[in-house]
Amino acid sequence: MLQPKRPELVTLTVSAFIVFVLNISFWNHLFAAIAPGKTTESLSIAAAGIVLLLVTNLALTLIANRRVFRVVMAAILPLTAAAGYFMHEYGVVIDENMVRNLFETNAAEARDLFGFKMVAAIALLGGLPAYLVWTTPWIERDWREQFRAGLRVTAISIPLIVALAFPFWGSYLSTFREHRELRMTLTPSNYISATVKYLRSGSALATTVVKPFGEDAERIASPGKRKSLFVIAVGETARADHFKLDGYPRQTNPQLGQIDDLINFPEAHSCGTDTARSVPCMFSGLGRENFSNARASSRENLLDILKHVGFDVIWRDNQAGCKGICQRVTTENLTALKHPAFYARSENFDEILLDGLEDRIARLERDTVIVMHMMGSHGPTYWKRYPDKYETFKPACKESQFSRCSVDEIVNAYDNTILYTDHVLAELVAILKTAGAHNVDAGMLYVSDHGESLGENNIYLHGMPYAFAPATQTHIPMFLWLSPQFRQATGVNHGCLIQNARSKTSHDALFHSVLGILDVVTDVYDRSLDLFAPCRPLVSTRR
């Protein structure tokens, strides 16, 4: 029979466990930031540990009622263990965007992250301590005694916190200012504050009122006898420096590299470092500097404008949804289809996005825009993203827990996804080349939503805050193909496009470039962001 414990001892023990055991990622980052070598630096880290212990203990003292405390810990400890594991295993941090990704992912993507090691870590470092807290008997006190005990803890803690933090306050401010990722690794405060921000932003709630946008939009010319088809292929987690087109030493683009009239943009950069931000941003017209998910979800976007001026707009999805972009256009969700030709493991390969496209072109009745949302290189289970015959780079990591693989194995698996993406996009171009036989002028633009870290500086996956995200997560592949008939119909100078393609560009250009090339005029169009504008005749009716 366990002896009843004083509530102060229980809260202090749990606080120490949270601060010193479940925050390994925070301490790794802090040691890297301060790099203790002198006595003063070592003392500042030791003082930070005691201060965090006292602050955490103060917070837990506020709920030091056994019934309340054990319920809260039953939730907090497993969640904190999960957050700690995820940060330590993949080198990521937790902010509002990471929480948004968590809420907006699908079951298949979430399942890929759960391996035995993660389940064991949550059970041993979260579930077991929560069970011990639940079953530990407390010394019974009435509320007055408990209140006085809380006052004593507060009276001791606050002076200690001030005395310990004051000598190093300037150092702390400087360190946390220069290394903003530190507060995003300190758990549970990181995921609690990020979740509150996510909920307060309204992102968790369905938008009930969507404001019109680009209401003045109209097409310069009426559709002619020939139809047009423009495909926007939205890639997933593809980084530019692993594309042969962008100078990667490995041959990851054997098919796209053979397309002579493909135009590559080697200096393209993303709006965000995760799908939940980048995809809405690129279609919103807000631009990265002015973008927020709340603003984007409260008004119409590029697809709505195209629909209003007479285009058939279709979103074909082999991913975790369109993040609200396709709510008012025709949507074809392919993830639930277990197509025998494309479904080999736990999901469809991206070639399913091309299924039936030739027939659709032959039957095209109106000018059409199709968005193909690819699964691409979504991690950590890269090996699931491509058929076995595209496993060129070996050995490939076939684990969701990267700690079980070498960096070379992880890179091999990732490069195989790029090789398969190359095949899918080359097949798309091959199909579009046949459109002319059906009196259809065709073109396509590919752009990835963001990049991916593959172990550089011990960071994996994506989702780092943009302000200090590595270039591997923001430098993205982007390229264009237009049929000769499409170029002729739109007046695009192919040589001029090639010459200008090396200029720096970003997701901000997609909205305005699509409006421009499809001859849609509106006051929300910005010619300076239109990739095609310098290479087309200036039309007097164009705003």
Side-chain angles (χ1 to χ4, degrees):
M1 181 70 177
L2 290 174
Q3 293 296 319
K5 307 297 182 184
R6 294 173 62 87
E8 298 91 334
L9 179 60
V10 176
T11 59
L12 186 62
T13 302
V14 173
S15 298
F17 181 75
I18 290 174
V19 171
F20 298 115
V21 177
L22 298 184
N23 269 287
I24 297 299
S25 184
F26 169 78
W27 292 113
N28 286 341
H29 279 80
L30 186 63
F31 271 79
I34 295 180
K38 298 179 181 179
T39 302
T40 303
E41 294 163 341
S42 299
L43 287 175
S44 71
I45 292 178
I50 299 172
V51 168
L52 286 175
L53 173 63
L54 293 172
V55 170
T56 304
N57 188 55
L58 269 179
L60 297 188
T61 298
L62 296 175
I63 56 169
N65 172 283
R66 184 170 184 262
R67 293 181 180 85
V68 175
F69 189 82
R70 65 183 186 177
V71 170
V72 173
M73 289 302 104
I76 290 293
L77 288 172
L79 286 173
T80 305
Y85 171 85
F86 192 72
M87 290 187 294
H88 181 68
E89 180 74 11
Y90 298 112
V92 300
V93 298
I94 297 177
D95 64 352
E96 181 185 350
N97 286 329
M98 190 64 74
V99 170
R100 179 179 293 107
N101 285 326
L102 176 65
F103 278 104
E104 296 181 9
T105 192
N106 61 22
E109 289 184 3
R111 190 166 53 245
D112 285 343
L113 294 171
F114 278 84
F116 173 79
K117 186 178 177 182
M118 184 175 187
V119 173
I122 295 173
L124 293 176
L125 297 178
L128 179 58
Y131 171 77
L132 293 175
V133 169
W134 192 278
T135 57
T136 297
W138 285 27
I139 293 175
E140 294 296 333
R141 292 170 173 167
D142 62 27
W143 69 270
R144 295 179 185 84
E145 291 176 306
Q146 188 57 41
F147 181 72
R148 285 193 292 269
L151 286 179
R152 287 194 296 270
V153 171
T154 303
I156 295 171
S157 298
I158 291 179
L160 276 174
I161 291 170
V162 174
L164 288 167
F166 183 76
F168 308 105
W169 190 248
S171 174
Y172 292 155
L173 286 178
S174 175
T175 299
F176 277 82
R177 187 183 298 116
E178 293 177 14
H179 301 274
R180 286 181 288 173
E181 72 276 10
L182 281 170
R183 62 181 177 82
M184 299 176 197
T185 60
L186 184 60
T187 190
S189 63
N190 56 355
Y191 68 78
I192 291 175
S193 62
T195 301
V196 170
K197 288 180 181 178
Y198 172 69
L199 295 173
R200 288 180 62 184
S201 72
S203 300
L205 304 174
T207 303
T208 55
V209 178
V210 177
K211 297 178 182 178
F213 181 55
E215 292 178 277
D216 63 327
E218 58 181 351
R219 298 183 68 180
I220 292 175
S222 300
K225 292 182 179 180
R226 293 179 66 87
K227 304 303 177 188
S228 69
L229 171 63
F230 194 75
V231 178
I232 303 170
V234 179
E236 170 64 41
T237 321
R239 52 189 272 184
D241 64 353
H242 278 242
F243 271 60
K244 180 67 172 179
L245 294 174
D246 291 314
Y248 190 46
R250 281 180 162 178
Q251 180 51 279
T252 52
N253 300 128
Q255 296 184 54
L256 288 173
Q258 297 300 312
I259 301 175
D260 294 333
D261 47 358
L262 192 78
I263 299 176
N264 184 48
F265 297 84
E267 289 297 328
H269 300 269
S270 67
C271 180
T273 62
D274 57 83
T275 305
R277 181 176 180 86
S278 284
V279 170
C281 182
M282 70 174 80
F283 287 93
S284 69
L286 289 166
R288 188 177 72 81
E289 295 298 328
N290 299 313
F291 177 82
S292 74
N293 286 87
R295 288 187 67 188
S297 63
S298 66
R299 73 177 197 179
E300 294 179 333
N301 57 66
L302 172 63
L303 303 187
D304 296 301
I305 295 174
L306 295 176
K307 180 181 177 181
H308 293 331
V309 299
F311 286 92
D312 275 344
V313 181
I314 302 164
W315 183 284
R316 285 174 65 81
D317 204 288
N318 192 38
Q319 244 264 34
C322 65
K323 312 305 178 187
I325 296 301
C326 63
Q327 287 183 344
R328 294 166 295 277
V329 301
T330 301
T331 302
E332 299 171 357
N333 191 336
L334 309 178
T335 56
L337 299 177
K338 296 183 179 181
H339 196 295
F342 311 113
Y343 188 93
R345 298 186 180 96
S346 59
E347 62 194 28
N348 291 307
F349 295 127
D350 276 335
E351 280 175 280
I352 195 172
L353 291 165
L354 309 181
D355 188 42
L357 181 59
E358 293 176 87
D359 291 339
R360 181 168 296 193
I361 291 172
R363 294 182 284 104
L364 208 65
E365 297 180 356
R366 302 171 67 189
D367 292 346
T368 301
V369 174
I370 299 176
V371 182
M372 294 183 174
H373 193 195
M374 306 175 71
M375 180 58 82
S377 305
H378 198 289
T381 52
Y382 302 126
W383 83 94
K384 292 184 178 181
R385 312 302 177 220
Y386 55 87
D388 291 339
K389 66 180 180 179
Y390 289 93
E391 191 165 287
T392 298
F393 306 107
K394 300 177 181 180
C397 178
K398 297 188 177 181
E399 298 280 352
S400 61
Q401 299 165 22
F402 285 161
S403 57
R404 295 182 175 180
C405 298
S406 68
V407 171
D408 287 344
E409 290 170 335
I410 295 168
V411 170
N412 286 342
Y414 180 84
D415 285 351
N416 289 330
T417 68
I418 303 299
L419 188 67
Y420 179 59
T421 294
D422 172 83
H423 166 71
V424 173
L425 295 173
E427 283 295 300
L428 171 60
V429 172
I431 293 172
L432 295 180
K433 283 183 176 180
T434 68
H438 302 286
N439 291 318
V440 175
D441 303 332
M444 66 84 71
L445 175 68
Y446 168 83
V447 61
S448 181
D449 60 351
H450 54 78
E452 184 85 327
S453 289
L454 297 172
E456 299 88 356
N457 298 315
N458 240 6
I459 299 173
Y460 295 90
L461 302 180
H462 53 268
M464 294 289 286
Y466 203 95
F468 50 85
T472 57
Q473 295 188 25
T474 60
H475 185 199
I476 52 173
M478 177 175 170
F479 44 82
L480 169 77
W481 179 85
L482 303 175
S483 70
Q485 299 93 334
F486 194 101
R487 297 199 298 266
Q488 182 178 2
T490 56
V492 170
N493 184 314
H494 187 71
C496 173
L497 275 181
I498 294 174
Q499 185 176 358
N500 289 349
R502 299 201 66 82
S503 300
K504 188 174 182 179
T505 186
S506 72
H507 278 163
D508 292 0
L510 183 138
F511 178 93
H512 306 281
S513 300
V514 173
L515 289 178
I517 196 64
L518 298 180
D519 285 326
V520 178
V521 294
T522 167
D523 285 338
V524 301
Y525 163 81
D526 185 344
R527 180 180 172 84
S528 68
L529 291 173
D530 182 352
L531 296 172
F532 303 103
C535 301
R536 300 181 68 193
L538 181 62
V539 181
S540 60
T541 54
R542 185 179 298 280
R543 289 182 172 88

